């Protein structure tokens, strides 16, 4: 059974569960993808080059969706030094990290994956998003993430938000 079938089967039996992954497009350098415990990021992030194949990005997202809730809820103190995504980025400060990142979430809602990109610094309530089938090919999911990041960055560059 592949990742897509596994997710579809899991969600078919557990209608109330929502899976979520946090994705950070860190400049033009890399994607940092983190599993969650539902709301908080947990576990070691996957780091992929910004130029990674769409299918590799999609596979990483599917893999970490399957790890959602698999990590114990962390009693972290909220400091940057304990944030695995920040550490993996190599950024020197939180402000530098935030200014270079486009934040993306991929979450399941019934049998769909909703992908949304938002700007966190400076904060904005504007986002771009797309709804995909949970059984879609990994390359389609990876491509959607890249397109949403590019779209939001283009809008930001034109002060359209």
């Amino acid at each position: 059974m592949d990742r897509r079938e596994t997710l579809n089967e899991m969600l078919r039996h557990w209608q109330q569960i929502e899976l979520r992954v946090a994705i950070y497009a860190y400049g033009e350098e890399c994607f940092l993808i983190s599993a969650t415990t539902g709301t908080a990021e947990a576990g070691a992030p996957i780091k992929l080059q910004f130029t990674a194949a769409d299918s590799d990005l999609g596979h990483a997202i599917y893999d970490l969706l399957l790890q959602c809730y698999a990590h114990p809820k962390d009693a972290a103190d909220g400091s940057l030094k304990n944030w695995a995504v920040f550490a993996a980025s190599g950024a020197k400060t939180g402000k530098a990290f935030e200014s270079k990142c486009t934040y993306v979430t991929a979450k399941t809602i019934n049998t769909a994956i909703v992908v949304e990109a938002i700007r966190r610094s400076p904060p904005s309530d504007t986002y771009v998003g797309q709804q995909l089938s949970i059984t879609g090919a990994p390359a389609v999911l990876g491509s959607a993430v890249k397109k949403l990041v590019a779209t939001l960055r283009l809008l930001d560059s034109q002060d359209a938000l």
Side-chain angles (χ1 to χ4, degrees), residues 64-131:
L64 291 179
L65 280 170
L66 289 169
Q67 291 182 33
C68 192
Y69 298 104
H71 303 279
K73 289 192 177 181
D74 213 356
D77 60 9
S79 68
L80 285 178
K81 67 180 178 161
N82 292 327
W83 187 17
V85 168
F86 174 76
S89 75
K92 302 292 184 210
T93 66
K95 189 174 185 174
F97 176 79
E98 286 286 333
S99 70
K100 205 171 177 180
C101 274
T102 302
Y103 179 69
V104 181
T105 59
K107 62 184 173 187
T108 60
I109 297 177
N110 296 322
T111 59
I113 295 180
V114 176
V115 184
E116 300 173 330
I118 62 170
R119 181 171 38 110
R120 290 173 60 165
S121 181
S124 172
D125 58 0
T126 302
Y127 68 94
V128 293
Q130 186 172 354
Q131 182 173 316

Side-chain angles (χ1 to χ4, degrees), residues 23 31 33 48 52-62 138 141-143 145-146:
I23 306 156
F31 286 99
I33 308 121
L48 295 174
D54 294 347
S55 60
D56 292 342
L57 180 56
H59 278 298
I61 294 167
Y62 278 128
L141 178 56
S143 175
V145 168
K146 288 181 178 181

Side-chain angles (χ1 to χ4, degrees), residues 6-89:
T6 302
L7 281 169
N8 198 29
E9 188 65 19
M10 181 172 31
L11 293 173
R12 198 167 59 85
H13 293 292
W14 297 325
Q15 295 291 325
Q16 304 297 325
I17 195 167
E18 178 185 295
L19 308 176
R20 188 177 71 81
V21 168
I23 306 156
Y24 298 85
Y26 186 63
E28 301 289 318
E29 297 171 31
C30 64
F31 286 99
L32 300 159
I33 308 121
S34 180
T36 69
T37 59
T39 54
E41 296 171 24
I46 293 176
K47 184 176 183 177
L48 295 174
Q49 292 299 312
F50 196 74
T51 57
D54 294 347
S55 60
D56 292 342
L57 180 56
H59 278 298
I61 294 167
Y62 278 128
D63 286 345
L64 291 179
L65 280 170
L66 289 169
Q67 291 182 33
C68 192
Y69 298 104
H71 303 279
K73 289 192 177 181
D74 213 356
D77 60 9
S79 68
L80 285 178
K81 67 180 178 161
N82 292 327
W83 187 17
V85 168
F86 174 76
S89 75

